[in-house]
Amino acid sequence: MYKLDKILQKVFIIIGILLTIFIFTIATASYQLRKDFEEHKYERLTTAEPSKSIEWYQAAGQKMPDEKLFEESFKKAPLVIIGMVEKIEPYQGNSVHYITIRPQTVLKGTAEEVIYSYDNAEEIGVAEGGTYLMMLLRDHLTVYPHPRHTSLSKNPMYEVKDGKFTDEWYPSKLPTDLDEAIAYMKSIPVEAVEERPMPEFFELNEEKLAECEYITRVKVAEVSEIHPHAADVRYVIREHYKGQLEIVKKTMPSRVNWQKGKEYILFLDEYDEHIQLAAYNGAVICEDDEMFSQAVDILEIK
C-alpha cells in the first residue's frame, strides 16, 4: 500500500509539471500573438477591398513592409498629391483604367490642373468621387496627349473623408487627421529633383533643330492602331536630315492621323530613355501641311 501511494504521488507530481508547462506555453503563445498583432496591424486599404493582414502577405509570399516604407515612398515619388478621382474609364481591356484626377493639395513636385493616371483602379483601390493621397510617377511620352502618370506602388491609395484618413496608416504611426498628416509629410526631408518637361509644341527654328537628335523624312507603309492614343507606324526612310534613324517601325500618337502612302518629316529626340517625338504637338509634318515644303527647304539647306 505504501509503494502504491508513492507511485501515485510521483504520477501527480509529473502531471502537475506537465500541466504547468502547458499553461506556460499557452500564455507565452497568447502574449506573442497579441504582440505581433500590435506590431503588425492590418494594412490600410480603401473600402474597395478587405485589409491585407500578416497572413495575406505570408500566403502571397510577399515581404511585410517595414516601418520606413511610407517615408521612403514619399521621398522616391516625384509627385505626391491629395486629389479627387473624377472619372474612371476602361483602357486597354480590363487590366488598366484611364483615371482622371483633380489635385486638391500638392505635397511634393508640380502638378497639372488635371492629372491622367494609367492604373488598375481596383488594384490601387480608387473609386469615382473618392479623395486620396497619391504618390505618382510621371512619364513624358509623346504617344500620350499629356504626361502619363502611374502609381508609385500598386498598394491601395490612402483615402480621405471628412478631413481624416479612413483607416490607420500602415505600418507607420502617422496621424489620421488630415492637417496633422500634411504637416508631417511636409516635414519629411527630400532632395529637389530637376524635371525636364516635354515641350508642348515644336517650333521650326534653329534652336529646336539643334536640340533634335534625329530629323527624318519617311513614307508610311502601314498603320496599326494599338489603343485610343497610339498606333504602330511602319515606314520607309526617304531621307536623313540629321542623325541616322535605323528604326523603321515606331509606336506613334494616333492624333497625328497617319495615312498610308503619305510622306512625313519626323523630329525626334532622346527623351526619358526613349527615342520619341521632340514635342507633344508639331513634331510631325505631313506632306499635306503648309509647313512641309518650307521645312524641306530649310533642312536641305542645312
Side-chain angles (χ1 to χ4, degrees), residues 114-168:
V114 178
I115 288 175
Y116 302 94
S117 178
Y118 298 76
D119 274 301
N120 184 313
E122 295 179 1
E123 189 176 55
I124 64 174
V126 299
E128 286 187 3
T131 301
Y132 306 88
L133 171 68
M134 303 178 178
M135 299 186 188
L136 301 170
L137 300 172
R138 173 165 44 204
D139 291 323
H140 296 283
L141 300 174
T142 49
V143 163
Y144 300 89
H146 36 62
R148 184 188 70 166
H149 295 77
T150 54
S151 173
L152 174 69
S153 169
K154 295 311 172 186
N155 292 324
M157 301 288 189
Y158 300 102
E159 187 175 15
V160 181
K161 282 185 178 179
D162 301 323
K164 294 186 180 297
F165 290 97
T166 54
D167 293 311
E168 292 185 38

Side-chain angles (χ1 to χ4, degrees), residues 244-280:
Q244 296 292 314
L245 184 68
E246 297 180 357
I247 304 168
V248 295
K249 178 185 175 183
K250 275 191 66 63
T251 302
M252 295 286 200
S254 297
R255 61 185 178 276
V256 171
N257 192 26
W258 306 92
Q259 296 181 52
K260 183 178 178 179
K262 296 283 187 180
E263 288 195 4
Y264 298 82
I265 299 174
L266 312 179
F267 300 90
L268 302 163
D269 195 7
E270 187 89 29
Y271 208 100
D272 288 349
E273 300 181 355
H274 299 280
I275 295 176
Q276 56 179 323
L277 298 178
Y280 284 115

Side-chain angles (χ1 to χ4, degrees), residues 62 101 104 146 172 193 200:
Q62 295 188 17
I101 303 162
Q104 296 177 346
H146 36 62
S172 299
V193 178
E200 180 65 27

Side-chain angles (χ1 to χ4, degrees), residues 52 69 73 113 118 141 146 163 183 195 200 203 232 276-277 285:
K52 294 179 180 177
L69 174 66
S73 298
E113 185 177 344
Y118 298 76
L141 300 174
H146 36 62
E195 283 195 73
E200 180 65 27
E203 296 181 20
D232 274 342
Q276 56 179 323
L277 298 178
I285 301 178

Side-chain angles (χ1 to χ4, degrees), residues 169-223:
W169 296 77
Y170 178 84
S172 299
K173 307 297 184 183
L174 298 178
T176 56
D177 180 81
L178 180 60
D179 292 336
E180 292 179 15
I182 288 174
Y184 171 79
M185 286 182 275
K186 288 185 175 180
S187 73
I188 298 174
V190 294
E191 294 182 8
V193 178
E194 186 177 349
E195 283 195 73
R196 180 191 173 197
M198 175 65 66
E200 180 65 27
F201 188 79
F202 184 83
E203 296 181 20
L204 194 63
N205 57 43
E206 292 291 331
E207 182 183 352
K208 294 299 182 183
L209 294 178
E211 290 175 358
C212 285
E213 296 195 32
Y214 304 96
I215 304 175
T216 308
R217 183 174 176 176
V218 303
K219 184 175 183 178
V220 172
E222 184 180 343
V223 182

